[in-house]
Amino acid sequence: MPFMMDPEISFSIAEGGAVLLDRRDGRYFRLNGSAANIVEALSSSVNGKDVSEQAVVHAVEALYDIDPEMLRQDVDSVVSFLVDHGLGQRK
C-alpha cells in the first residue's frame, strides 16, 4: 500500500538510529537503527511522492540478512506507528 510522509516531518540520522521532528508541534521521536533505515526508505515520499511498502522492503532487504516476511512485518509496524502518530498516511 502506498505511503506518504507528512512534509512537516524532519528526519535526521543520530547516534544509533535517527530522530523524527514534527515541526507542527515540536514532538520528537527517536528511532533505532532498523526503524531509521525503514523511515529513510520511506522519506522519498516527502516531496509529494508516494512510496510502496514493498519498495521499502526491497530497499531495506539489501542492508540486512533477514527473513523477508519478518522485514515486511517490521515495515508494517513502522508505517503503522507513523500513521498512528500523524506523521504520514497510507493511501
Side-chain angles (χ1 to χ4, degrees), residues 6-87:
D6 190 290
E8 290 299 313
I9 306 306
S10 295
F11 173 77
S12 297
I13 300 296
E15 187 175 328
V19 175
L20 294 176
L21 168 63
D22 186 340
R23 293 187 305 252
R24 299 167 297 191
D25 60 13
R27 290 182 299 164
Y28 281 91
F29 299 88
R30 185 147 178 74
L31 306 174
N32 66 23
S34 58
N37 287 323
I38 291 168
V39 171
E40 187 170 28
L42 289 168
S43 68
S44 65
S45 68
V46 170
N47 294 320
K49 296 180 271 179
D50 298 344
V51 64
S52 75
E53 291 178 43
Q54 188 60 37
V56 172
V57 168
H58 288 302
V60 177
E61 195 172 28
L63 303 173
Y64 295 101
D65 182 23
I66 187 171
D67 175 60
E69 183 55 37
M70 179 179 265
L71 181 55
R72 275 189 273 287
Q73 291 172 8
D74 290 348
V75 169
D76 183 60
S77 293
V78 170
V79 169
S80 293
F81 174 86
L82 296 170
V83 169
D84 291 348
H85 287 87
L87 306 174

